Amino acid sequence: KSNGLIFEPTDADKKRLKAYFDLYIENYDRVKIESMPLGLGQNLSNDAQADYDFYTNQLIGDSTEKEYLKQRLLCFVEAVEFFFDKNNENIKSFLFFANSKGREYYVDGENVLFELFRKLQNHHTTQAVLKFLHGNVDEFEKKKEEIQTLLKEGKKVFVITTYATMGAGQNIHYEYDFNTGSAIKINNLNYNLAKKDFDAIYLEIPSNIIVNNYRKIDSDEDFVKYIYQIKFLQEAGDYRPYEIISKIRTAFINRETG
């Protein structure tokens, strides 16, 4: 049926889609999802607090421009402590979504995130692996395969990735023996029947999603990316046409002076 540009599914299609949807979520009522905020600084052990203070001082020092890194580092430490907590032994896989690939976390050639993870692991005497998942297509696929192999073997793995890396709809669920484990099958469909999602996930508050147009745009790549981004937002209804024209005009000025 159609009414102008609006097309409605037939009753038969509605019935078919509802039946498939019900099948797809048939076991959702058995799944328990818990959520909690991080970054409040209330859940750190004394050892973790000491390590956090030490590496924060190394990373930031007296700088006021990098204050945001202090909060990000706190969230990372709390996430790792949660991962290592003996009350969470059932959490074998943890996916940590960050905004950046972590270049700002290097001090004297050493990655502060890796050092903190190693320190916290020693405090909790828990065996685990830290993996960074990003890179070009070949590098990404190689790292993903390594991670999936470790998880298939029953290893405890903490994965750091970025929104940009996983933004293309990548699926990194892994093989799992539902006959011996405690995970719940959300449905009985044949698609990826023997694979499961990560046990826990942290989502950093997204930032710098759109190219900054309040300064000089340094490259043609950023310029084109910005135009595409705001046109997409216009299509989504977030900007009106006159607002888009103003922003594009500003982008051209910033590109010419860049």
Side-chain angles (χ1 to χ4, degrees):
K1 298 177 181 180
S2 66
N3 180 13
L5 296 177
I6 299 176
F7 292 84
E8 294 185 6
T10 64
D11 290 340
D13 283 337
K14 289 180 181 178
K15 184 176 180 180
R16 176 178 56 82
L17 291 171
K18 184 179 185 308
Y20 180 78
F21 181 74
D22 290 342
L23 182 64
Y24 193 82
I25 64 169
E26 61 181 331
N27 294 330
Y28 266 44
D29 59 333
R30 298 170 53 199
V31 177
K32 182 179 180 182
I33 299 176
E34 298 181 11
S35 62
M36 59 182 290
L38 296 184
L40 302 178
Q42 300 174 351
N43 302 314
L44 295 185
S45 64
N46 292 334
D47 288 330
Q49 184 67 57
D51 291 333
Y52 167 72
D53 292 339
F54 174 78
Y55 283 103
T56 298
N57 183 62
Q58 274 203 331
L59 190 65
I60 301 175
D62 297 328
S63 173
T64 57
E65 295 181 358
K66 294 184 178 181
E67 190 67 22
Y68 67 95
L69 288 179
K70 187 175 182 179
Q71 183 66 19
R72 289 184 178 181
L73 207 62
L74 177 59
C75 291
F76 173 76
V77 174
E78 288 190 356
V80 175
E81 277 251 285
F82 179 84
F83 180 61
F84 284 139
D85 193 311
K86 293 189 180 299
N87 294 322
N88 301 320
E89 290 182 347
N90 60 320
I91 296 179
K92 298 292 185 180
S93 53
F94 196 115
L95 187 60
F96 187 96
F97 269 99
N99 283 301
S100 72
K101 296 179 181 179
R103 296 187 183 94
E104 65 270 38
Y105 294 110
Y106 278 83
V107 176
D108 297 329
E110 298 293 333
N111 191 320
V112 168
L113 299 184
F114 178 81
E115 293 295 321
L116 266 170
F117 186 89
R118 183 176 59 82
K119 288 275 189 180
L120 294 169
Q121 179 175 242
N122 290 338
H123 296 324
H124 290 272
T125 63
T126 301
Q127 293 300 314
V129 180
L130 172 64
K131 288 288 186 179
F132 292 87
L133 182 60
H134 50 69
N136 59 39
V137 175
D138 292 338
E139 187 178 3
F140 175 88
E141 289 298 327
K142 181 180 179 181
K143 290 179 178 178
K144 182 175 76 170
E145 185 177 341
E146 291 174 354
I147 291 167
Q148 290 174 330
T149 298
L150 289 169
L151 290 169
K152 181 181 178 180
E153 294 173 351
K155 300 291 194 305
K156 196 173 175 73
V157 185
F158 191 99
V159 179
I160 300 176
T161 190
T162 67
Y163 291 107
T165 299
M166 299 292 291
Q170 289 284 350
N171 199 333
I172 58 171
H173 54 192
Y174 54 93
E175 290 186 37
Y176 182 84
D177 188 351
F178 286 90
N179 294 318
T180 60
S182 59
I184 297 172
K185 291 182 182 179
I186 59 173
N187 59 55
N188 291 311
L189 298 176
N190 291 327
Y191 176 71
N192 289 329
L193 189 61
K195 292 187 176 182
K196 72 177 291 294
D197 294 318
F198 273 60
D199 297 317
I201 182 172
Y202 169 75
L203 301 174
E204 188 171 84
I205 297 176
S207 64
N208 298 322
I209 298 174
I210 299 178
V211 173
N212 188 350
N213 193 29
Y214 294 97
R215 57 169 175 74
K216 295 178 181 179
I217 298 180
D218 298 325
S219 68
D220 290 337
E221 180 182 356
D222 281 347
F223 176 75
V224 173
K225 184 177 180 180
Y226 176 76
I227 300 298
Y228 174 83
Q229 288 173 334
I230 61 171
K231 290 297 291 182
F232 180 86
L233 291 174
Q234 179 188 5
E235 292 296 324
D238 292 328
Y239 286 117
R240 297 179 180 179
Y242 74 87
E243 293 176 307
I244 293 296
I245 293 174
S246 175
K247 289 181 177 296
I248 290 177
R249 182 182 293 114
T250 302
F252 270 103
I253 294 173
N254 287 343
R255 180 64 192 123
E256 290 173 359
T257 58

